[in-house]
């Protein structure tokens, strides 16, 4: 083989290897993207729309949350990751306004009128769970009225309820007292309060709290 022929052969081999490598990388990237999309779709289904959730066989923990700003959703996500439990979002039938002041006015009227907003989705197999991690914002010193309605509409007898509250200075307010009054036949654990501005870095705080109250054993 001449020197020129050898060079051409080497160049062709390099081109083939490079093309195969790029094709493999593209396939891997596509697989990772598809997997991420599936995980995202699964999270959305279980968090917002699921009616009959399949209970986790290991610890039977359900993370329930109501959120307006997104802070309670973030904490609920941490709790789900840490415990491996299922997740359910309390979704109002009539969404709250996107503007803070309008939502505050509606929330205040709900408290004054003792009005319990309708919930769009319900849980049909709550009996499958032993422990409920309840995440909510502190509204007017306690749980939002929609969370109150959720607790009234479901039977939590014999279950453990572990409250996580987001706030802007009021901590848990009287929410633990109110939850105990609404669920007298449940065990209410020590609560965890997280200031709204600290939610993004609170994963370890949630983990330490979960370990402290012993619901993930």
């Amino acid at each position: 083989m001449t020197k020129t022929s050898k060079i051409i052969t080497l160049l062709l081999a390099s081109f083939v290897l490079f093309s195969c490598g790029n094709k493999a990388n593209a396939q891997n990237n596509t697989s990772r993207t598809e997997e991420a999309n599936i995980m995202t779709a699964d999270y959305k289904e279980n968090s917002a729309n699921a009616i009959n959730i399949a209970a986790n066989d290991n610890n039977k923990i359900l993370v329930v949350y109501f959120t307006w700003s997104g802070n309670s959703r973030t904490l609920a996500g941490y709790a789900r990751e840490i415990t491996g439990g299922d997740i359910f979002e309390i979704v109002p039938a009539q969404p709250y306004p996107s503007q803070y002041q309008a939502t505050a006015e509606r929330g205040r009227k709900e408290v004054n009128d003792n009005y319990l907003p309708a919930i769009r989705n319900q849980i049909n197999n709550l009996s499958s769970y032993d422990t409920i991690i309840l995440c909510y914002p502190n509204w007017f010193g306690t749980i939002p009225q929609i969370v109150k309605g959720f607790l009234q509409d479901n039977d939590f007898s014999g279950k453990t309820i572990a409250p996580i509250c987001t706030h802007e200075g009021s901590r848990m307010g009287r929410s633990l007292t109110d939850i105990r009054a609404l669920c007298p036949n449940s065990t209410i654990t020590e609560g965890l309060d997280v200031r709204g501005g600290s939610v993004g870095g609170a994963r370890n705080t949630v983990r330490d709290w979960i370990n402290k109250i012993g619901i993930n054993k």
Side-chain angles (χ1 to χ4, degrees):
M1 182 181 293
T2 65
K3 183 175 181 181
T4 301
S5 298
K6 289 181 179 179
I7 292 172
I8 292 172
T9 300
L10 289 172
L11 288 173
L12 287 173
S14 299
F15 176 78
V16 170
L17 288 173
F18 180 79
S19 299
C20 291
N22 282 345
K23 183 178 181 181
N25 287 336
Q27 290 174 339
N28 289 338
N29 288 336
T30 300
S31 298
R32 284 193 292 269
T33 301
E34 290 174 350
E35 180 181 3
N37 289 339
I38 290 170
M39 290 175 67
T40 301
D42 177 67
Y43 178 84
K44 288 179 179 178
E45 178 182 359
N46 282 331
S47 64
N49 301 317
I51 299 299
N52 199 359
I53 306 171
N56 185 299
D57 290 334
N58 294 326
N59 48 29
K60 295 187 178 179
I61 292 176
L62 177 64
V63 181
V64 175
Y65 73 94
F66 165 71
T67 193
W68 176 76
S69 68
N71 286 335
S72 294
R73 178 183 291 114
T74 299
L75 294 180
Y78 296 152
R80 184 198 190 193
E81 292 171 6
I82 293 163
T83 63
D86 297 317
I87 194 164
F88 179 84
E89 180 180 7
I90 300 171
V91 181
Q94 180 184 355
Y96 285 91
S98 58
Q99 296 80 15
Y100 172 81
Q101 189 59 41
T103 295
E105 290 174 1
R106 175 175 159 184
R108 171 64 73 184
K109 181 171 174 50
E110 290 172 353
V111 171
N112 292 340
D113 297 343
N114 195 26
Y115 175 74
L116 304 178
I119 298 173
R120 191 180 75 190
N121 50 345
Q122 302 293 333
I123 301 175
N124 291 333
N125 64 332
L126 189 62
S127 60
S128 301
Y129 298 94
D130 297 326
T131 299
I132 310 298
I133 297 177
L134 182 64
C135 305
Y136 56 91
N138 180 331
W139 279 13
F140 305 103
T142 186
I143 54 176
Q145 287 292 102
I146 194 168
V147 176
K148 180 180 179 180
F150 175 80
L151 294 177
Q152 285 189 355
D153 290 345
N154 293 281
D155 184 10
F156 294 92
S157 298
K159 300 185 185 301
T160 296
I161 300 177
I164 304 180
C165 176
T166 64
H167 67 95
E168 292 303 330
S170 300
R171 306 192 69 176
M172 302 204 77
R174 66 176 189 278
S175 62
L176 285 178
T177 299
D178 289 347
I179 292 171
R180 291 190 182 101
L182 291 164
C183 305
N185 298 316
S186 302
T187 299
I188 313 302
T189 72
E190 173 186 332
L192 173 68
D193 62 89
V194 181
R195 195 168 189 121
S198 302
V199 164
R203 189 183 188 282
N204 289 340
T205 301
V206 174
R207 181 201 60 204
D208 292 344
W209 170 74
I210 287 172
N211 289 338
K212 181 180 180 182
I213 61 178
I215 62 173
N216 200 31
K217 295 181 180 179

